Amino acid sequence: MKKFLFLALMTFTCLTAVSNKTFPQKGTFVSPANPQIIYTGRISFTNPERPAWNYPGVQIIASFEGTSLRMMAKPRSGYFMAQIDEAEPFKVAFRGERDSVVSLATALPDARHTVRLMYIIEGYEMYPEFWGFLLDEGRSLAEPPALPLRKIEFIGNSITCGYGNEGTDKNEHFEYETENHYYSYASITARNLHAQHWVVARSGIGAYRNYGEAKTGTPRSCMPVQYEYTGYALDLDLRQEPTFLREKWDFNRYQPDVVCVNLGTNDFSTRNYDLALLKQGYQKLYQLVREHNPQAKIVLLTGSMLYNQELREAKQLLDEVMAEAHQAGDKEVYRFDMTPIMGDEGYGNDWHPNVWQDEKMANELTPFLRELMNWY
């Protein structure tokens, strides 16, 4: 039964939309504002008919009646992973220049089904939007499944995004086709622990200095600045970017049980860093995370792309940030170190972790969080 649901799931069709509620195919239109659709992740609902975001890991979940399901999104929104019931997940592409309707499932048993969609790339250039579903004519959504009660937030860089993890050559550069957050260590860890996970992550970002930037730092777009906003803006003063990128995030919408911070790789990049400024950046970010998530445990991680002197300095610096938090009375700050990538079998594109390495990192982090949170 489960595998039967996978037949014909890869049929993609591009069509031009006439309006929000009229499409050139028969079917029942379901608005993104339908209360039976569940959303997770940092999404702007300024326009409830066009939910918008640009971080990876955003999810859209719904249950529906009937034999088929089609999805609408803004043209060139990028890539999603889709799963129908318990069938194998598959990749969905919105890369065309025109309004698109993509078929997620056809020829299903005439029954109730559940769809789970995850945005799997960084949409900072694409500004994705979800535009709704098309069901069989006369059908409707059903009561959605309950979300897991356990909640994790991952704050990070390209490693958390899943940059290049589907790539097979460490010397090849970034392509959206080889980035897949669904197979990132963060997403795998959350599934292992049966937890929600929300993501604030962007390739190249640092705690005080983004990749290749000045030794004095990147004060306008490093993580302590971006953390307070709904989306990631290349420049918060750029007026041509979507307005939701200047929308302050409402932290009441998601209070995680544990926050995992995996930064530093870009701060240490190009051997052009200032340890004192980096520590100040970490401290500022820690204070923001604690201010907005007063009950959460906070875990400071080193990633798998630091080595030798930089790795030693990163560990010492994070140990100091943790120790100083403890001395100030916050005992719920912890440390965890990922094993660095060793050997070509762990590399995807641009020397980043591949899916195999992501699984390895998840297998390290999962038991640590399970014990820390008593999530057995």
Side-chain angles (χ1 to χ4, degrees):
M1 177 65 175
K2 293 179 181 178
K3 297 303 178 186
F4 173 80
L5 298 178
F6 193 57
L7 55 91
L9 290 178
M10 299 302 290
T11 304
F12 298 146
T13 308
C14 289
L15 301 167
T16 299
V18 177
S19 71
N20 262 10
K21 298 184 179 181
T22 305
F23 295 89
Q25 284 191 16
K26 291 183 178 180
T28 299
F29 172 75
V30 178
S31 162
N34 189 299
Q36 290 185 307
I37 299 176
I38 294 176
Y39 297 92
T40 72
R42 289 200 175 186
I43 305 175
S44 172
F45 293 98
T46 300
N47 180 353
E49 296 291 336
R50 296 285 189 266
W53 67 91
N54 68 352
Y55 282 125
V58 161
Q59 295 191 63
I60 304 167
I61 303 167
S63 293
F64 62 98
E65 303 282 353
T67 65
S68 69
L69 179 68
R70 286 161 289 173
M71 170 189 176
M72 288 149 287
K74 175 186 168 185
R76 299 195 73 250
S77 281
Y79 292 95
F80 297 78
M81 289 292 282
Q83 183 179 32
I84 306 296
D85 298 330
E86 300 302 320
E88 291 297 318
F90 58 96
K91 189 178 287 190
V92 174
F94 285 87
R95 294 303 305 269
E97 296 293 337
R98 304 176 68 186
D99 298 345
S100 57
V101 181
V102 168
S103 178
L104 300 182
T106 61
L108 296 172
D110 192 354
R112 179 176 296 184
H113 304 282
T114 296
V115 59
R116 300 175 188 274
L117 293 155
M118 179 185 291
Y119 192 67
I120 57 171
I121 64 172
E122 303 166 72
Y124 60 89
E125 294 178 317
M126 298 182 175
Y127 311 121
E129 296 176 357
F130 173 58
W131 287 5
F133 290 120
L134 278 175
L135 309 181
D136 291 348
E137 197 161 6
R139 297 306 181 93
S140 61
L141 294 186
E143 187 71 21
L147 290 173
L149 296 178
R150 299 169 179 177
K151 298 178 180 179
I152 308 173
E153 180 175 76
F154 287 95
I155 301 172
N157 51 35
S158 55
I159 301 171
T160 298
C161 292
Y163 177 115
N165 63 352
E166 289 192 318
T168 58
D169 186 341
K170 64 188 178 185
N171 296 307
E172 290 183 354
H173 299 306
F174 177 79
E175 297 286 347
Y176 284 114
E177 290 80 0
T178 62
E179 181 174 58
N180 194 331
H181 179 76
Y182 185 88
Y183 296 119
S184 69
Y185 80 90
S187 188
I188 296 170
T189 297
R191 288 194 294 276
N192 288 346
L193 295 170
H194 306 289
Q196 296 182 52
H197 83 289
W198 292 35
V199 180
V200 186
R202 161 76 160 90
S203 291
I205 202 167
Y208 100 99
R209 171 182 173 267
N210 297 347
Y211 179 83
E213 296 289 343
K215 185 175 183 178
T216 53
T218 314
R220 293 166 66 89
S221 59
C222 60
M223 186 57 80
V225 174
Q226 297 290 337
Y227 184 65
E228 300 216 85
Y229 291 85
T230 299
Y232 179 89
L234 296 175
D235 187 332
L236 290 170
D237 287 338
L238 247 114
R239 294 296 178 247
Q240 64 263 37
E241 291 189 315
T243 56
F244 86 86
L245 297 181
R246 296 185 294 278
E247 174 185 291
K248 282 295 189 78
W249 176 245
D250 179 3
F251 287 89
N252 291 320
R253 286 171 56 181
Y254 187 71
Q255 283 289 296
D257 302 306
V258 58
V259 178
C260 295
V261 182
N262 187 357
L263 292 170
T265 304
N266 296 301
D267 299 276
F268 281 102
S269 66
T270 64
R271 299 175 180 247
N272 187 37
Y273 54 91
D274 184 313
L275 282 174
L277 292 177
L278 175 53
K279 185 174 179 180
Q280 290 174 21
Y282 262 114
Q283 289 172 326
K284 182 177 180 180
L285 180 60
Y286 152 68
Q287 290 163 3
L288 283 171
V289 172
R290 174 54 72 220
E291 175 187 347
H292 293 303
N293 306 279
Q295 303 303 316
K297 298 181 188 297
I298 299 173
V299 181
L300 305 176
L301 300 93
T302 57
S304 58
M305 294 177 66
L306 288 174
Y307 305 89
N308 305 320
Q309 178 182 338
E310 285 86 358
L311 180 57
R312 291 191 296 272
E313 290 176 337
K315 289 181 177 181
Q316 180 177 343
L317 186 150
L318 294 180
D319 287 345
E320 291 174 2
V321 172
M322 179 184 68
E324 290 169 14
H326 290 180
Q327 291 168 6
D330 187 350
K331 304 298 185 182
E332 299 293 355
V333 181
Y334 303 86
R335 284 274 294 107
F336 185 79
D337 298 314
M338 301 284 195
T339 300
I341 303 173
M342 296 295 180
D344 286 348
E345 69 274 10
Y347 288 113
N349 291 157
D350 272 331
W351 300 77
H352 279 68
N354 60 16
V355 172
W356 181 85
Q357 186 71 29
D358 271 311
E359 291 174 347
K360 181 178 179 181
M361 289 189 287
N363 289 337
E364 294 174 350
L365 184 58
T366 295
F368 173 83
L369 291 181
R370 192 185 303 281
E371 182 174 355
L372 176 67
M373 304 305 297
N374 196 28
W375 281 350
Y376 292 98

